[in-house]
Amino acid sequence: MNRYEAGKFDVIVVGAGHAGSEAALAAARMGSSTVLLTIDLDMIAFMPCNPSIGGPAKGVVVREVDALGGEMGRNIDKTYVQMRMLNTGKGPAVQALRAQADKNEYAQEMKKTLEKQENLLLRQGIVEELIVEDGVVQGVVTHTGAVYRAEAVVLTAGTSSRGQIIIGELKYSSGPNNSQPSIKLSENLLDLGFDLARFKTGTPPRILASSIDYSKTEEQPGDLEPNHFSYSSKDEDYLQDQLSCWLTYTGTEAHQIIRDNLHRAPMFTGIVEGVGARYCPSIEDKVVRFSDKPRHQLFLEPEGRNTEEVYVQGLSSSLPEEVQLDVLHSIDGLENAKMMRTGYAIEYDVVKPHQLRPSLETKLVKNLYTAGQMNGTSGYEEAAGQGIIAGINAALAVQGKEPLVLKRSDGYIGVMIDDLVTKGTLEPYRLLTSRAEYRLLLRHDNADIRLSEIGHEIGLLPEERYQAYIEKQVAVEAEIARIKSIRLKPTAELQAFLESRNSAALKDGFLFSDLLKRPELDYAALYPFAPLEEELPKEVISQIEIQIKYEGYIKKAVAKVDKLKKMEEKRIPENIDYDAINGIATEAKDKLKKIQPETIAQASRISGVNPADISVLMVYVQSGRYTVLENSI
Amino acid sequence: MNRYEAGKFDVIVVGAGHAGSEAALAAARMGSSTVLLTIDLDMIAFMPCNPSIGGPAKGVVVREVDALGGEMGRNIDKTYVQMRMLNTGKGPAVQALRAQADKNEYAQEMKKTLEKQENLLLRQGIVEELIVEDGVVQGVVTHTGAVYRAEAVVLTAGTSSRGQIIIGELKYSSGPNNSQPSIKLSENLLDLGFDLARFKTGTPPRILASSIDYSKTEEQPGDLEPNHFSYSSKDEDYLQDQLSCWLTYTGTEAHQIIRDNLHRAPMFTGIVEGVGARYCPSIEDKVVRFSDKPRHQLFLEPEGRNTEEVYVQGLSSSLPEEVQLDVLHSIDGLENAKMMRTGYAIEYDVVKPHQLRPSLETKLVKNLYTAGQMNGTSGYEEAAGQGIIAGINAALAVQGKEPLVLKRSDGYIGVMIDDLVTKGTLEPYRLLTSRAEYRLLLRHDNADIRLSEIGHEIGLLPEERYQAYIEKQVAVEAEIARIKSIRLKPTAELQAFLESRNSAALKDGFLFSDLLKRPELDYAALYPFAPLEEELPKEVISQIEIQIKYEGYIKKAVAKVDKLKKMEEKRIPENIDYDAINGIATEAKDKLKKIQPETIAQASRISGVNPADISVLMVYVQSGRYTVLENSI
Ligand SMILES: Cc1cc2nc3c(=O)[nH]c(=O)nc-3n(C[C@H](O)[C@H](O)[C@H](O)COP(=O)(O)OP(=O)(O)OC[C@H]3O[C@@H](n4cnc5c(N)ncnc54)[C@H](O)[C@@H]3O)c2cc1C
Ligand SMILES: Cc1cc2nc3c(=O)[nH]c(=O)nc-3n(C[C@H](O)[C@H](O)[C@H](O)COP(=O)(O)OP(=O)(O)OC[C@H]3O[C@@H](n4cnc5c(N)ncnc54)[C@H](O)[C@@H]3O)c2cc1C
């Protein structure tokens, strides 16, 4: 191919999936001239798997992306067909919003946003090579010979990287849903010295809505009470005519069919070489691993308002097509289901994430960032969460500024990236609430409190959205201060009300805030006894309630975080010579050399590195007399 | 691959492009259980080139498809962003409707229609092999090993057939717009003995709307006066807020850039092996062939309401990307245009159409039909026109009925198919009004008159639409009869009116219909002098005007057609032994053996077959004593 100079940009983003869209928008919004190159302009923010966004931990990530100034939350708020708050019966730490998306509209809307973004050029093209000079990335080359130069490059190639689709005995080269795979970019990464792993993920069949007997399933309608992913969405825009999902189950017959065909299941025959996700298993995997479970839940989810395609959540499979059909037809309500797309597994290349810094910059090539599925995660939200950080850090690098590294206590995004770069991952990594040690701090309701300040400071969260956040904060704090100072008198009305709620009677005046701590009472009920001139918005009230009711727990968690902060602030010099340190165990040294932690805190989280090793390391670093190597890795 | 039985259908359609969608809908609506298999369910009725439907001849085809009971007309009426009647200043034979489509909505809407169609199963899958036994097709096999059996199979693989994209020095295997190509099906057709040609077509770059300086271009707004493609669409649904197109031109600078880079133009360097369409040339082709033309028109067409992509009609090119950029930037209004997709050429396999019967059944394999781009045409409308006929004939074959063969006088569809199967084509075939000898009969306004009866008889046009057509016909005929019998008196008012129109005064009473023949007069103006109780709908009035005003010409054309009809009715027995006929020239014999015409009329249109040969053939056939071969071809 003849090459030509296609232009000089600040930032290049490769791949317009969920990671790439956020990365490109973040960089452009922070003022970097950005080009976003992608294989197919008709597959932007494409959902090759479930047509939904959110859920436990993942939903919080969407709000974190939103609080930083990202797009996923706004995009789903514009294109959902159903919205539900999960775990409403449980505490605020595990509540999670989940939306069914109109798959086509979701993609169209994101494409439009990218097209309209200032500083951003969206262009169809297949990136085949990185230009690297002296260990610093300089640009990329596309299949048409176009050389794009930039100061920073973000790769988000997703499952297209040497993708191979697997169905039963069949295996062929393809990106998701029979799209063109990306082959040369992977080869180029190998040439550059990157260590790639092979992961796999899978998707269930899609069936025709009119072929489902819904009477044999349970309806799962959306919520009536308005909710949104984006802090800027309005209650009055909440969708009234939502689409329902439907619940059914696999049964003994389905499980028998699967067991009878395990000799043809690529997962077990050796055809699948990539490593699949434990937390997102295929149905054949579930039947084998949980052999005593008589049934598994299946959710029938519409793929959009304008289509008859229905996604069978829970039935991900790479069994031969005929077996998938038999399994489907053994399920209540799906006896006559017409399959429109066959489930499949896809194998793809992953950049083993220990090769990344917490900024998502690669250690091997300066100013090169990777994000999303290609870092070993699975999921749209995980991709978006990394994408926005990679885009931010690319833009900050261009500005000559320090990278943004979210701490584990800042958000699930911080947890995820720290897990990836510190522990690596041997299988597709999904966010789970259990991965966070500060679950009660990383709530769905307070992502704005955790991250708006950061989003604003780096120049990503727009001023008017920041002001709205500040107003909300002021209102919350003012009202907390007020109720902490108002003593409610034991009037006859109040006592009668308390009795009606089975709440102990007051002997004396009692702080509004203390009364609110009683589990059987809430703000709305107490409010009439100490009203304001004007009622507060509901998100302010819910914030007040959570902060007061969980005050004790939150304080404890914050105290722990503060203690850790000191460790987080203790930086380890780059390229430190671990071999020169006496007293660190050999295994710990090997791990430290591989991961190259940037702080003592990060080092302490590496498995195989013990507290004793950390003490030695800390003393050594603080002594100031450490040796540094010329070239690490 | 392990194979399995995926079901028995009446009709299988392969490929859900413009041909396949019509074929599958026609077959299913005629009562055949039908399965439509396609590589990617997200690319149904996808428009890889211009986002528009209609224009001269092509627009008439859309109305013919509609009159038969097809979908294209209704689909574009639901999804256009601009509608224009072309050539309104000229006679009714060349008037043509043209609509800009919302590309994404067009595809979504067609997908929904397919999903909702009774008797029709839409399924993602790649067909790799035909099952043929004793020269009769029995079904198909997909990449997943699924064996679908049916009595008839329609192939509409389009430009995906061993597609190769070409841009400058680059050539790679791909379907349109970086989709997966179809490779094994082509190889299977070769194995079965089909003769394939290699054609090519091309598409221009797409640019970002906001990067265009529209002030340097001329606006081309849509029509205010309602028009529709489908006879069932209503005036009150006509779109008010249409999008404009914009006109600009290439100039000497653009032409110079192209000339300077001809050594890199794949069309001229030998990289393109496929044959391109003369009537749809690339810009480099135009510059070379019309070297004295100082400029060429370019229309900037929006790709939809929800996107910033703009199609640069007239700038189709496979020049290297950098040259395309230079050319773009040399054009008025596009100085700063941002290119989003690069123009490219695509090469693909074509079943040389002399291998087809006028029913679109292949001569080699019984009950196998091919339609669309793979028969050597180019264009969505040409594809739809063939698709509906192939679908109809597949369904008729299943019913054991005679195929539907439209005559050249029935419609442009008849012209096209006859051209293809009788003359073959050495390049991508486009419909042009000049291809029809009965242009005045094949009008945009009378497709319903020509084809509703047929559509209804074969069971495709629904009863209520047929009744609406009958009502319109009755109204037209009644009013024609009335105005042919009403003699307008030379009242003072009428004389004054005629004078105002510069029309000769009446001496005596004068037939309304004769007066209407005067070019300066129209029905609306004369109507007040002989009003009805209730005014007639506008499509009835326009029909009356055309039938009266062009009565003489139409009569002559009809007479010619009637004369030919006798020839059309003279069937040539299948597998007749041309070598046994004395007196036919050798060249004519060769052509007759290759084409195997089904009627004397078809034989007479074969180039190289002269009237003398036809006379001999006619006598020989009519004698009844002819020899028939066991196996032809
Ligand atoms: C079959 C399947 C099943 C899945 N199942 C699940 C699931 O059950 N649960 C779940 O949470 N997630 C699932 N996922 C994962 C989910 O789709 C991804 O996590 C998410 O899409 C990742 O986003 P991304 O931006 O990292 O990559 P992608 O969405 O894959 O986007 C990558 C983009 O980069 C483009 N690209 C790639 N290479 C190049 C190149 N060289 N040049 C230019 N552009 C390039 C691609 O065309 C694509 O547009 C599944 C994915 C697939 C394919
Ligand atoms: C780059 C380009 C430029 C063009 N330029 C013009 C132009 O300037 N003017 C013009 O009028 N027309 C143009 N066309 C042509 C226009 O796109 C086609 O005429 C029209 O789309 C043909 O419709 P079709 O149904 O025959 O095929 P297509 O629209 O190509 O549809 C074929 C379908 O079959 C599917 N398929 C193929 N093989 C298999 C298989 N083995 N199994 C299952 N499914 C299969 C494909 O995925 C596709 O969905 C252009 C096309 C391309 C690609």
Side-chain angles (χ1 to χ4, degrees), chain A residues 4 39-40 42 111-112 115 123-124 144 177-178 180 306-309 321 339-341, chain B residues 4 39-40 42 111-112 115 123-124 144 177-178 180 306-309 321-322 339-341:
Chain A
Y4 80 99
I39 294 177
D40 182 351
D42 294 314
K111 177 164 185 257
K112 194 172 69 178
E115 287 174 340
R123 186 173 280 187
Q124 187 162 293
T144 53
N177 195 48
N178 290 345
Q180 281 270 359
N306 223 1
T307 173
E308 292 281 297
E309 280 193 78
E321 189 172 274
M339 185 164 82
M340 297 181 68
R341 308 193 201 217
Chain B
Y4 80 100
I39 295 178
D40 182 351
D42 295 313
K111 176 164 184 255
K112 194 172 68 176
E115 287 174 340
R123 187 173 280 186
Q124 187 161 294
T144 53
N177 196 46
N178 290 344
Q180 282 268 0
N306 222 2
T307 173
E308 292 280 298
E309 281 193 78
E321 189 172 273
E322 60 187 303
M339 184 164 84
M340 298 181 66
R341 308 193 201 217

Side-chain angles (χ1 to χ4, degrees), chain B residues 63 180 193 217 292 339 400 409 462-463 521 564 577 580 612 620:
Chain B
R63 288 176 76 96
Q180 282 268 0
T217 68
D292 50 340
M339 184 164 84
S409 52
E463 195 56 38
L521 299 181
L564 251 173
D577 181 6
Y620 180 75

Side-chain angles (χ1 to χ4, degrees), chain A residues 56-58 61 382 412-413 415-416 429-433 435:
Chain A
K58 287 164 168 271
V61 170
E382 287 86 345
Y412 277 99
I413 298 178
V415 172
M416 166 174 65
Y429 175 100
R430 301 196 66 165
L431 264 178
L432 307 165
T433 51
R435 298 201 189 266

Side-chain angles (χ1 to χ4, degrees), chain B residues 199-266:
Chain B
F199 278 7
K200 78 120 203 176
T201 183
T203 196
R206 313 295 194 274
I207 58 179
L208 184 71
S210 59
S211 69
I212 299 170
D213 181 353
Y214 288 109
S215 72
K216 297 191 179 166
T217 68
E218 291 164 40
E219 185 165 6
Q220 307 273 314
D223 286 346
L224 295 176
E225 168 100 9
N227 262 306
H228 319 280
F229 275 103
S230 172
Y231 287 97
S232 65
S233 296
K234 304 254 170 300
D235 276 2
E236 54 264 35
D237 297 332
Y238 190 69
L239 200 65
Q240 289 311 317
D241 59 330
Q242 301 195 10
L243 301 185
S244 288
C245 295
W246 306 81
L247 174 62
T248 182
Y249 298 89
T250 61
T252 42
E253 195 187 335
H255 296 193
Q256 194 54 50
I257 296 169
I258 291 167
R259 269 191 290 267
D260 289 347
N261 284 284
L262 287 180
H263 61 288
R264 296 188 65 194

Side-chain angles (χ1 to χ4, degrees), chain B residues 433-620:
Chain B
T433 51
S434 59
R435 298 200 189 267
E437 46 282 75
Y438 316 110
R439 271 212 284 183
L440 191 60
L441 297 185
L442 306 187
R443 298 188 315 270
H444 170 268
D445 61 272
N446 72 346
D448 57 342
I449 304 180
R450 292 182 274 123
L451 298 171
S452 296
E453 207 65 63
I454 296 175
H456 182 246
E457 200 184 299
I458 57 173
L460 184 50
L461 189 68
E463 195 56 38
E464 76 274 16
R465 289 196 54 195
Y466 178 65
Q467 285 310 329
Y469 154 73
I470 292 289
E471 267 170 43
K472 176 180 156 192
Q473 273 306 90
V474 168
V476 170
E477 278 161 25
E479 180 64 353
I480 288 183
R482 186 182 77 100
I483 64 175
K484 279 193 169 177
S485 67
I486 286 191
R487 206 167 278 278
L488 297 180
K489 304 260 159 62
T491 58
E493 289 98 321
L494 182 53
Q495 300 288 36
F497 165 72
L498 290 174
E499 203 183 335
S500 78
R501 288 277 181 116
N502 282 327
S503 199
L506 301 187
K507 306 224 171 84
D508 210 342
F510 210 84
L511 277 183
F512 188 148
S513 55
D514 285 343
L515 216 45
L516 183 52
K517 283 189 178 156
R518 294 187 177 177
E520 68 275 14
L521 299 181
D522 54 33
Y523 180 93
L526 294 174
Y527 177 79
F529 299 101
L532 292 164
E533 262 172 48
E534 210 176 324
E535 266 186 57
L536 292 166
K538 83 171 191 199
E539 61 278 10
V540 170
I541 294 173
S542 104
Q543 206 40 242
I544 292 162
E545 270 184 331
I546 293 168
Q547 291 194 19
I548 294 290
K549 280 184 179 291
Y550 296 86
E551 198 169 24
Y553 304 98
I554 293 175
K555 266 196 182 141
K556 266 188 226 156
V558 169
K560 272 198 212 150
V561 169
D562 284 343
K563 235 177 88 185
L564 251 173
K565 245 188 202 146
K566 283 176 213 140
M567 289 239 281
E568 296 285 0
E569 279 157 13
K570 289 202 181 104
R571 296 192 63 83
I572 304 173
E574 215 167 315
N575 295 351
I576 192 168
D577 181 6
Y578 286 106
D579 286 326
I581 314 177
N582 293 325
I584 296 188
T586 314
E587 189 202 342
K589 270 190 193 168
D590 289 347
K591 286 288 181 72
L592 288 164
K593 283 193 270 183
K594 180 175 171 190
I595 305 296
Q596 298 276 332
E598 298 195 347
T599 63
I600 294 290
Q602 192 192 350
S604 73
R605 288 188 297 263
I606 299 172
S607 72
V609 177
N610 294 319
D613 304 315
I614 292 296
S615 306
V616 174
L617 178 62
M618 205 142 69
V619 171
Y620 180 75

Side-chain angles (χ1 to χ4, degrees), chain A residues 163-378:
Chain A
Q164 284 191 291
I165 282 183
I166 300 162
I167 306 170
E169 291 81 15
L170 176 70
K171 187 165 185 174
Y172 62 101
S173 177
S174 175
N177 195 48
N178 290 345
S179 63
Q180 281 270 359
S182 155
I183 296 184
K184 295 207 179 146
L185 181 61
S186 273
E187 292 169 355
N188 185 238
L189 288 174
L190 286 173
D191 289 346
L192 288 169
F194 282 96
D195 190 7
L196 304 185
R198 206 75 186 139
F199 279 7
K200 78 122 202 173
T201 183
T203 195
R206 313 295 195 273
I207 59 179
L208 184 71
S210 60
S211 69
I212 299 171
D213 181 353
Y214 287 110
S215 72
K216 298 191 177 165
T217 67
E218 291 165 39
E219 185 164 6
Q220 306 274 313
D223 286 346
L224 295 176
E225 170 99 10
N227 261 307
H228 319 281
F229 276 102
S230 172
Y231 288 96
S232 65
S233 295
K234 304 254 169 300
D235 276 2
E236 55 265 35
D237 296 332
Y238 190 68
L239 201 65
Q240 289 311 317
D241 60 330
Q242 301 195 9
L243 302 185
S244 288
C245 295
W246 306 81
L247 174 62
T248 183
Y249 298 89
T250 59
T252 43
E253 194 187 335
H255 296 192
Q256 194 54 50
I257 296 168
I258 291 167
R259 270 192 289 268
D260 290 346
N261 285 284
L262 287 180
H263 62 288
R264 297 186 65 195
M267 281 207 52
F268 303 111
T269 57
I271 291 184
V272 166
E273 289 154 18
V275 191
R278 205 176 336 160
Y279 300 105
C280 191
S282 62
I283 185 69
E284 50 269 33
D285 208 9
K286 284 189 274 194
V287 167
V288 170
R289 272 169 41 201
F290 312 105
S291 57
D292 50 339
K293 260 199 124 177
R295 62 179 201 173
H296 294 281
Q297 277 190 334
L298 300 176
F299 289 95
L300 308 177
E301 307 179 353
E303 292 236 324
R305 204 168 271 288
N306 223 1
T307 173
E308 292 281 297
E309 280 193 78
V310 172
Y311 177 86
V312 188
Q313 197 218 294
L315 208 67
S316 177
S317 180
S318 57
L319 283 164
E321 189 172 274
E322 59 186 304
V323 182
Q324 295 189 30
L325 278 163
D326 287 347
V327 170
L328 270 179
H329 294 155
S330 75
I331 291 165
D332 282 347
L334 308 187
E335 293 83 354
N336 299 305
K338 291 193 176 149
M339 185 164 82
M340 297 181 68
R341 308 193 201 217
T342 312
Y344 64 93
I346 190 165
E347 266 182 27
Y348 53 94
D349 286 337
V350 161
V351 172
K352 290 188 186 164
H354 71 267
Q355 302 170 94
L356 305 176
R357 301 176 190 279
S359 62
L360 295 180
E361 188 186 28
T362 67
K363 295 173 187 166
L364 206 53
V365 179
K366 202 171 144 52
N367 293 348
L368 176 67
Y369 301 78
T370 61
Q373 194 94 1
M374 77 180 301
N375 283 352
T377 59
S378 178

